[in-house]
Amino acid sequence: TPMESVHNQQIDGVLLARHGKLVLEEYFHGQHRDKPHDTRSASKSMTATLVGAAMYAGAPLKLSTPVYQVMNGGVFPASLDPLKREMTLEHLLSMSSGYYCNDSDLKAPGREDTMWEQDKEPNFYQYALRLPMAFHPGDTAIYCSTNPNLALGVLQQATGESPLYLFDRLVAGPLKMRNYGWGTDPAGNAYGGGGAMFRPREFMKFGQLMLNGGTWNGKRILSREFVARASSPLVKIGTRPYGLGWWIYDLPYRNRKVRAFAALGNGGQNVFVVPDLDLVVAVYASNYGDRVLFQIQDDLVPNQILPAVR
């Protein structure tokens, strides 16, 4: 597409994998297969992948694990808000914690930009724990990056190991990811709300891992149960079903609908998994903050790619 306007779609890379094999790989605008790209909020799906991998590897965690019990060394803090006592790891990964936390609400103290702009608390895990509650955990899902970020805090507290090292050992190593970037908060904690950088093929591997039911080259990374729950419609954020870090879609295919789930990030970062078609689609783009980014999930995938699948 000619770059005549900031509203023109700027696709940086498109990759398609069918039956576990890469069948199409194209790059544009100076991008290439060895150049890491910002995944923005699509890395929320990587956060969920890391949590699932750690649980499968034996971390003392379940999706039902109480957040405040873990973060306080195994016991609930005295005089804890009863609503916070009910908050679980699954609530964080499904963004239904109940915190007053909304990335689109300038007044919400848990809003991602508000957290990054303040300088009183450099430890974002501790920042989140002090947020006021707005809902009962599990009742209302609202898009807020503070939730999956705190999930990494729970993981770190439960294992005594930085999520950066856990990811490298449990996910990046087995999937042969050798050149990637994962951001931190001002205190040096791994940030799980977005912005991780991966090379295009490695970005796509997260989708293939999920399509494989949690295995990679015969090695199990995630339990089948975790994959199924992460890719199921557990809550709704706005009108879109959401699982654990993955958005849920019903896409048109010939005369029927096929279920898909996707990692999505600002600018047009997409990994779509379509189990019925044994298909993974990965797209990198640079339409940051512009609604043209939605053309990828609204048009490119359903109207251009799926009709070509036999």
Side-chain angles (χ1 to χ4, degrees), residues 18 31 62 104 164 181 256 298:
R18 188 90 197 282
Q31 303 296 317
K62 299 179 180 178
S104 298
L164 299 175
R256 61 189 175 100
D298 294 341

Short mmCIF file of all heavy atoms in Angstrom, two decimals, residues 18 31 62 104 164 181 256 298:
data_model
loop_
_atom_site.label_atom_id
_atom_site.label_comp_id
_atom_site.label_asym_id
_atom_site.label_seq_id
_atom_site.Cartn_x
_atom_site.Cartn_y
_atom_site.Cartn_z
N ARG A 18 0.41 -23.91 7.74
CA ARG A 18 -0.68 -24.88 7.55
C ARG A 18 -0.13 -26.27 7.84
O ARG A 18 0.92 -26.64 7.32
CB ARG A 18 -1.22 -24.80 6.12
CG ARG A 18 -2.47 -25.65 5.89
CD ARG A 18 -3.71 -24.83 6.17
NE ARG A 18 -4.90 -25.64 6.36
CZ ARG A 18 -5.61 -26.21 5.38
NH1 ARG A 18 -5.24 -26.08 4.12
NH2 ARG A 18 -6.70 -26.89 5.66
N GLN A 31 11.20 -4.43 6.91
CA GLN A 31 11.20 -5.51 7.90
C GLN A 31 11.76 -6.79 7.26
O GLN A 31 11.75 -6.97 6.04
CB GLN A 31 9.78 -5.77 8.40
CG GLN A 31 9.10 -4.55 9.01
CD GLN A 31 9.79 -4.07 10.26
OE1 GLN A 31 10.19 -4.84 11.12
NE2 GLN A 31 9.93 -2.74 10.38
N LYS A 62 -1.90 -22.66 40.81
CA LYS A 62 -3.06 -23.09 40.03
C LYS A 62 -3.77 -21.84 39.56
O LYS A 62 -3.52 -20.74 40.07
CB LYS A 62 -4.01 -23.94 40.89
CG LYS A 62 -3.41 -25.22 41.44
CD LYS A 62 -4.45 -25.94 42.30
CE LYS A 62 -3.87 -27.23 42.87
NZ LYS A 62 -4.86 -27.93 43.74
N SER A 104 -8.75 2.59 29.24
CA SER A 104 -9.44 3.64 28.48
C SER A 104 -10.05 4.71 29.37
O SER A 104 -10.66 5.65 28.87
CB SER A 104 -10.55 3.01 27.61
OG SER A 104 -10.00 2.11 26.68
N LEU A 164 11.71 -13.48 33.71
CA LEU A 164 12.60 -13.41 32.56
C LEU A 164 13.39 -14.70 32.41
O LEU A 164 13.57 -15.23 31.30
CB LEU A 164 13.56 -12.22 32.70
CG LEU A 164 12.91 -10.84 32.79
CD1 LEU A 164 13.96 -9.77 33.04
CD2 LEU A 164 12.13 -10.53 31.52
N GLY A 181 13.17 -9.59 23.07
CA GLY A 181 13.28 -8.61 24.13
C GLY A 181 12.04 -8.61 25.00
O GLY A 181 10.92 -8.76 24.51
N ARG A 256 -19.96 -21.88 6.72
CA ARG A 256 -20.05 -22.11 8.17
C ARG A 256 -19.13 -21.16 8.92
O ARG A 256 -18.47 -20.32 8.32
CB ARG A 256 -19.68 -23.56 8.49
CG ARG A 256 -18.25 -23.95 8.10
CD ARG A 256 -18.04 -25.46 8.25
NE ARG A 256 -16.72 -25.88 7.78
CZ ARG A 256 -15.68 -26.12 8.57
NH1 ARG A 256 -15.80 -25.96 9.89
NH2 ARG A 256 -14.52 -26.54 8.07
N ASP A 298 -10.64 -7.85 10.79
CA ASP A 298 -11.97 -7.69 10.20
C ASP A 298 -12.02 -8.02 8.71
O ASP A 298 -13.09 -8.34 8.18
CB ASP A 298 -12.47 -6.26 10.41
CG ASP A 298 -12.72 -5.92 11.87
OD1 ASP A 298 -12.85 -6.87 12.68
OD2 ASP A 298 -12.76 -4.73 12.21
#
